[in-house]
Amino acid sequence: MCGKEKHSLTLVPDYKLWFERDGEYIFGPGAYAILKSVYEEGTITKGAKKLSMSYRYAWGVIKKIEKKLGITLVETFKGGTEGGGGARVTENGLKLMELYSNINKAFNDILESSSHLNL
Amino acid sequence: MCGKEKHSLTLVPDYKLWFERDGEYIFGPGAYAILKSVYEEGTITKGAKKLSMSYRYAWGVIKKIEKKLGITLVETFKGGTEGGGGARVTENGLKLMELYSNINKAFNDILESSSHLNL
């Protein structure tokens, strides 16, 4: 065995993106996933279930951000197509999702071209 | 007061970038800062001091990564210009710094164009 073996190491880059306000953590990947899931599923119950979360947890995450920002991200309503009510992501909620998603996509594009780094 | 006030909210995006190997966390902003500081200062003592870290902590971070990857990132030597010895970031260490720094720069460029997000 030689003391100076040639190593071939592959490293995989990953990242976490979040939004702050006045230095306080506000919105990250978890909250984004919840908003997206509620948007896609149309109810908080189904949106949370899809992510294997409890309704209570998912709703709590949304409410916490709404309180910090003083805006509404998700509106619930009664009735609807299935009669059981539903949840609607507000304009501000959609805007927040879009801001997050745009940066995420740009970051992912960068990582795609360097998804495996060799030392 | 109106119930539908227009809010102007400014959110600031931030991120953490790291490298994994086989799903294990290997290298992140802390280790990058240490390598960079050792590279710039020329000794582990000075490099650690610049970051308000102990020699022991900084060296421990480097050694842990070296052990995980099976390569040397920093070599120490005796003598040198000041006679007290020093530390040299190896070729692999420089490569690792460069890989990290390149992605960091690309991410920062993206955030520069969206450093303040308005809802």
Side-chain angles (χ1 to χ4, degrees), chain A residues 43-73:
Chain A
T43 75
I44 295 163
T45 305
K46 287 185 194 167
K49 198 179 174 188
K50 198 180 169 190
L51 300 174
S52 306
M53 288 173 182
S54 68
Y55 174 98
R56 193 188 173 85
Y57 178 79
W59 194 223
V61 169
I62 294 168
K63 280 287 156 199
K64 199 172 168 185
I65 299 164
E66 288 184 335
K67 199 179 169 189
K68 281 182 181 177
L69 296 180
I71 58 174
T72 305
L73 299 174

Side-chain angles (χ1 to χ4, degrees), chain A residues 7 9-21 69-71 95-96 103 106-107 110 117-119, chain B residues 7 9-21 69-71 95-96 106-107 110 117-119:
Chain A
H7 288 272
L9 287 173
T10 301
L11 295 174
V12 178
D14 201 1
Y15 70 90
K16 179 184 175 178
L17 168 70
W18 66 89
F19 294 161
E20 296 181 358
R21 190 195 183 199
L69 296 180
I71 58 174
K95 183 83 188 290
L96 190 57
I103 300 178
F107 278 16
I110 289 166
L117 309 168
N118 294 302
L119 267 192
Chain B
H7 289 271
L9 288 173
T10 301
L11 297 173
V12 178
D14 201 0
Y15 69 90
K16 179 183 176 177
L17 168 69
W18 66 89
F19 295 162
E20 296 181 357
R21 189 192 183 200
L69 296 180
I71 59 174
K95 182 84 188 290
L96 189 57
F107 278 18
I110 288 167
L117 309 168
N118 292 303
L119 268 192

Side-chain angles (χ1 to χ4, degrees), chain B residues 1 4 26 34 88 97 117:
Chain B
M1 294 291 280
K4 292 217 173 196
I26 300 285
I34 291 169
R88 191 186 294 117
M97 281 173 64
L117 309 168

Side-chain angles (χ1 to χ4, degrees), chain B residues 34-48:
Chain B
I34 291 169
L35 272 190
K36 188 165 177 273
S37 194
V38 170
Y39 174 75
E40 287 167 355
E41 299 298 315
T43 75
I44 295 163
T45 305
K46 288 185 193 168

